[in-house]
Short mmCIF file of all heavy atoms in Angstrom, two decimals:
data_model
loop_
_atom_site.label_atom_id
_atom_site.label_comp_id
_atom_site.label_asym_id
_atom_site.label_seq_id
_atom_site.Cartn_x
_atom_site.Cartn_y
_atom_site.Cartn_z
N GLN A 491 89.14 60.54 115.87
CA GLN A 491 88.99 59.52 116.90
C GLN A 491 87.52 59.34 117.28
O GLN A 491 87.03 58.21 117.36
CB GLN A 491 89.80 59.92 118.14
CG GLN A 491 89.76 58.87 119.26
CD GLN A 491 90.54 59.32 120.49
OE1 GLN A 491 91.17 60.38 120.49
NE2 GLN A 491 90.49 58.52 121.54
N ALA A 492 86.81 60.44 117.47
CA ALA A 492 85.41 60.36 117.86
C ALA A 492 84.55 59.76 116.74
O ALA A 492 83.68 58.92 117.00
CB ALA A 492 84.89 61.75 118.23
N LEU A 493 84.79 60.18 115.52
CA LEU A 493 84.02 59.67 114.37
C LEU A 493 84.20 58.17 114.21
O LEU A 493 83.22 57.41 114.07
CB LEU A 493 84.45 60.39 113.09
CG LEU A 493 83.95 61.82 112.89
CD1 LEU A 493 84.77 62.52 111.81
CD2 LEU A 493 82.46 61.84 112.53
N GLU A 494 85.43 57.71 114.23
CA GLU A 494 85.70 56.29 113.97
C GLU A 494 85.22 55.40 115.12
O GLU A 494 84.79 54.27 114.90
CB GLU A 494 87.18 56.11 113.68
CG GLU A 494 87.56 56.75 112.34
CD GLU A 494 89.05 56.74 112.02
OE1 GLU A 494 89.85 56.45 112.93
OE2 GLU A 494 89.40 57.01 110.86
N GLU A 495 85.25 55.94 116.33
CA GLU A 495 84.72 55.16 117.45
C GLU A 495 83.21 54.97 117.33
O GLU A 495 82.65 53.98 117.84
CB GLU A 495 85.06 55.84 118.78
CG GLU A 495 86.52 55.67 119.19
CD GLU A 495 86.82 56.28 120.53
OE1 GLU A 495 85.87 56.82 121.18
OE2 GLU A 495 87.99 56.25 120.95
N ARG A 496 82.54 55.91 116.64
CA ARG A 496 81.09 55.82 116.45
C ARG A 496 80.74 55.10 115.15
O ARG A 496 79.57 55.04 114.75
CB ARG A 496 80.47 57.22 116.44
CG ARG A 496 80.59 57.96 117.76
CD ARG A 496 79.70 57.40 118.84
NE ARG A 496 78.29 57.49 118.46
CZ ARG A 496 77.28 57.11 119.25
NH1 ARG A 496 77.56 56.60 120.44
NH2 ARG A 496 76.03 57.23 118.85
N GLY A 497 81.74 54.58 114.45
CA GLY A 497 81.49 53.78 113.27
C GLY A 497 81.50 54.53 111.95
O GLY A 497 81.16 53.96 110.90
N TYR A 498 81.92 55.78 111.95
CA TYR A 498 81.98 56.56 110.71
C TYR A 498 83.29 56.27 109.98
O TYR A 498 84.36 56.21 110.61
CB TYR A 498 81.91 58.07 111.01
CG TYR A 498 80.57 58.55 111.47
CD1 TYR A 498 80.23 58.54 112.83
CD2 TYR A 498 79.62 59.03 110.57
CE1 TYR A 498 79.00 58.99 113.27
CE2 TYR A 498 78.39 59.48 111.00
CZ TYR A 498 78.09 59.46 112.35
OH TYR A 498 76.86 59.90 112.78
N ALA A 499 83.22 56.12 108.68
CA ALA A 499 84.42 56.00 107.85
C ALA A 499 84.86 57.41 107.45
O ALA A 499 84.02 58.26 107.12
CB ALA A 499 84.13 55.17 106.61
N CYS A 500 86.15 57.66 107.49
CA CYS A 500 86.68 58.97 107.10
C CYS A 500 87.56 58.79 105.87
O CYS A 500 88.50 58.00 105.88
CB CYS A 500 87.48 59.58 108.25
SG CYS A 500 86.51 59.89 109.73
N GLY A 501 87.24 59.50 104.82
CA GLY A 501 88.00 59.37 103.58
C GLY A 501 87.10 59.49 102.36
O GLY A 501 86.01 60.07 102.43
N ARG A 502 87.56 58.94 101.27
CA ARG A 502 86.86 59.10 99.99
C ARG A 502 85.42 58.60 100.02
O ARG A 502 84.54 59.19 99.41
CB ARG A 502 87.63 58.36 98.89
CG ARG A 502 89.00 58.95 98.60
CD ARG A 502 89.69 58.19 97.49
NE ARG A 502 91.04 58.71 97.25
CZ ARG A 502 91.32 59.75 96.47
NH1 ARG A 502 90.34 60.39 95.85
NH2 ARG A 502 92.57 60.15 96.30
N GLU A 503 85.19 57.49 100.70
CA GLU A 503 83.84 56.91 100.73
C GLU A 503 83.10 57.25 102.02
O GLU A 503 82.07 56.65 102.32
CB GLU A 503 83.95 55.38 100.59
CG GLU A 503 84.68 54.93 99.35
CD GLU A 503 84.05 55.45 98.07
OE1 GLU A 503 82.80 55.54 98.01
OE2 GLU A 503 84.81 55.79 97.13
N GLY A 504 83.61 58.21 102.76
CA GLY A 504 82.97 58.55 104.03
C GLY A 504 82.98 60.04 104.29
O GLY A 504 82.77 60.86 103.39
N VAL A 505 83.25 60.41 105.53
CA VAL A 505 83.26 61.82 105.93
C VAL A 505 84.54 62.49 105.45
O VAL A 505 85.64 61.96 105.62
CB VAL A 505 83.17 61.93 107.47
CG1 VAL A 505 83.19 63.39 107.91
CG2 VAL A 505 81.91 61.23 108.00
N SER A 506 84.39 63.67 104.86
CA SER A 506 85.55 64.46 104.43
C SER A 506 85.98 65.36 105.58
O SER A 506 85.25 66.27 105.97
CB SER A 506 85.20 65.31 103.21
OG SER A 506 84.93 64.52 102.09
N VAL A 507 87.14 65.07 106.13
CA VAL A 507 87.69 65.88 107.23
C VAL A 507 88.64 66.92 106.65
O VAL A 507 89.58 66.58 105.94
CB VAL A 507 88.41 65.00 108.26
CG1 VAL A 507 89.08 65.86 109.34
CG2 VAL A 507 87.43 64.02 108.90
N ILE A 508 88.36 68.18 106.97
CA ILE A 508 89.19 69.30 106.51
C ILE A 508 89.92 69.86 107.72
O ILE A 508 89.33 70.03 108.79
CB ILE A 508 88.32 70.39 105.86
CG1 ILE A 508 87.70 69.88 104.56
CG2 ILE A 508 89.13 71.66 105.60
CD1 ILE A 508 86.69 70.82 103.95
N THR A 509 91.20 70.15 107.56
CA THR A 509 91.98 70.69 108.67
C THR A 509 92.84 71.86 108.22
O THR A 509 93.09 72.06 107.03
CB THR A 509 92.86 69.59 109.29
OG1 THR A 509 93.49 70.11 110.48
CG2 THR A 509 93.94 69.12 108.33
N PHE A 510 93.33 72.61 109.22
CA PHE A 510 94.24 73.74 108.99
C PHE A 510 95.49 73.55 109.83
O PHE A 510 95.42 73.03 110.94
CB PHE A 510 93.57 75.06 109.38
CG PHE A 510 92.37 75.41 108.54
CD1 PHE A 510 91.13 74.90 108.86
CD2 PHE A 510 92.50 76.23 107.43
CE1 PHE A 510 90.02 75.21 108.10
CE2 PHE A 510 91.39 76.54 106.66
CZ PHE A 510 90.15 76.03 106.99
N ASP A 511 96.61 73.95 109.33
CA ASP A 511 97.96 73.94 109.89
C ASP A 511 98.89 73.14 108.98
O ASP A 511 99.92 73.62 108.60
CB ASP A 511 98.04 73.38 111.31
CG ASP A 511 97.52 74.35 112.37
OD1 ASP A 511 97.16 75.49 112.00
OD2 ASP A 511 97.46 73.95 113.55
N ALA A 512 98.52 71.87 108.68
CA ALA A 512 99.34 71.01 107.81
C ALA A 512 100.68 70.67 108.46
O ALA A 512 101.74 70.78 107.83
CB ALA A 512 99.53 71.64 106.42
N THR A 513 100.62 70.25 109.71
CA THR A 513 101.81 69.70 110.36
C THR A 513 102.06 68.29 109.81
O THR A 513 101.21 67.72 109.13
CB THR A 513 101.62 69.64 111.88
OG1 THR A 513 100.44 68.90 112.18
CG2 THR A 513 101.49 71.04 112.46
N ARG A 514 103.21 67.74 110.12
CA ARG A 514 103.58 66.43 109.58
C ARG A 514 102.51 65.37 109.86
O ARG A 514 102.17 64.57 109.00
CB ARG A 514 104.91 65.96 110.15
CG ARG A 514 106.13 66.59 109.53
CD ARG A 514 107.36 65.75 109.86
NE ARG A 514 108.56 66.57 109.86
CZ ARG A 514 109.14 67.07 110.94
NH1 ARG A 514 108.62 66.85 112.12
NH2 ARG A 514 110.23 67.78 110.85
N GLY A 515 102.02 65.34 111.10
CA GLY A 515 101.02 64.34 111.47
C GLY A 515 99.77 64.43 110.64
O GLY A 515 99.21 63.41 110.20
N ALA A 516 99.30 65.65 110.39
CA ALA A 516 98.10 65.83 109.58
C ALA A 516 98.36 65.46 108.12
O ALA A 516 97.50 64.87 107.46
CB ALA A 516 97.61 67.27 109.67
N LEU A 517 99.53 65.80 107.62
CA LEU A 517 99.84 65.46 106.23
C LEU A 517 99.95 63.95 106.04
O LEU A 517 99.57 63.42 104.99
CB LEU A 517 101.13 66.15 105.80
CG LEU A 517 101.06 67.68 105.69
CD1 LEU A 517 102.39 68.23 105.17
CD2 LEU A 517 99.91 68.13 104.81
N ALA A 518 100.45 63.26 107.07
CA ALA A 518 100.50 61.79 106.98
C ALA A 518 99.09 61.22 106.91
O ALA A 518 98.83 60.29 106.12
CB ALA A 518 101.25 61.23 108.19
N GLU A 519 98.16 61.77 107.67
CA GLU A 519 96.77 61.31 107.62
C GLU A 519 96.11 61.71 106.31
O GLU A 519 95.21 61.01 105.82
CB GLU A 519 95.98 61.89 108.80
CG GLU A 519 96.46 61.44 110.17
CD GLU A 519 96.25 59.95 110.43
OE1 GLU A 519 95.80 59.23 109.51
OE2 GLU A 519 96.54 59.51 111.55
N CYS A 520 96.57 62.81 105.73
CA CYS A 520 96.06 63.23 104.43
C CYS A 520 96.55 62.28 103.34
O CYS A 520 95.79 61.87 102.45
CB CYS A 520 96.51 64.66 104.15
SG CYS A 520 95.73 65.43 102.72
N LEU A 521 97.81 61.89 103.42
CA LEU A 521 98.37 60.98 102.44
C LEU A 521 97.68 59.62 102.50
O LEU A 521 97.43 58.99 101.46
CB LEU A 521 99.87 60.82 102.66
CG LEU A 521 100.62 59.89 101.70
CD1 LEU A 521 100.49 60.38 100.25
CD2 LEU A 521 102.08 59.78 102.10
N ASN A 522 97.35 59.15 103.71
CA ASN A 522 96.71 57.84 103.82
C ASN A 522 95.19 57.89 103.63
O ASN A 522 94.52 56.87 103.69
CB ASN A 522 97.07 57.14 105.14
CG ASN A 522 96.44 57.81 106.36
OD1 ASN A 522 95.38 58.42 106.30
ND2 ASN A 522 97.11 57.69 107.51
N GLY A 523 94.66 59.12 103.42
CA GLY A 523 93.25 59.25 103.05
C GLY A 523 92.28 59.56 104.16
O GLY A 523 91.11 59.84 103.90
N ARG A 524 92.71 59.56 105.42
CA ARG A 524 91.77 59.84 106.51
C ARG A 524 91.39 61.32 106.57
O ARG A 524 90.28 61.66 106.97
CB ARG A 524 92.36 59.41 107.85
CG ARG A 524 92.48 57.90 108.00
CD ARG A 524 93.17 57.53 109.29
NE ARG A 524 92.31 57.69 110.45
CZ ARG A 524 92.74 58.07 111.66
NH1 ARG A 524 94.03 58.38 111.83
NH2 ARG A 524 91.91 58.17 112.68
N ILE A 525 92.32 62.20 106.19
CA ILE A 525 92.03 63.63 106.08
C ILE A 525 91.95 63.98 104.60
O ILE A 525 92.82 63.60 103.82
CB ILE A 525 93.11 64.47 106.79
CG1 ILE A 525 92.96 64.34 108.31
CG2 ILE A 525 93.04 65.94 106.37
CD1 ILE A 525 94.03 65.07 109.11
N ALA A 526 90.89 64.69 104.22
CA ALA A 526 90.66 65.00 102.81
C ALA A 526 91.47 66.20 102.34
O ALA A 526 92.00 66.22 101.22
CB ALA A 526 89.17 65.25 102.57
N LEU A 527 91.58 67.21 103.19
CA LEU A 527 92.26 68.45 102.79
C LEU A 527 92.98 69.03 104.00
O LEU A 527 92.41 69.13 105.09
CB LEU A 527 91.25 69.48 102.28
CG LEU A 527 91.81 70.86 101.91
CD1 LEU A 527 92.63 70.80 100.63
CD2 LEU A 527 90.70 71.89 101.79
#
Side-chain angles (χ1 to χ4, degrees):
Q491 183 181 356
L493 285 164
E494 292 174 347
E495 285 183 2
R496 295 288 299 182
Y498 289 88
C500 298
R502 294 181 183 275
E503 304 302 323
V505 179
S506 294
V507 175
I508 293 172
T509 187
F510 296 85
D511 285 356
T513 55
R514 282 198 207 99
L517 292 183
E519 297 294 4
C520 190
L521 180 60
N522 70 29
R524 291 176 75 214
I525 288 177
L527 176 72

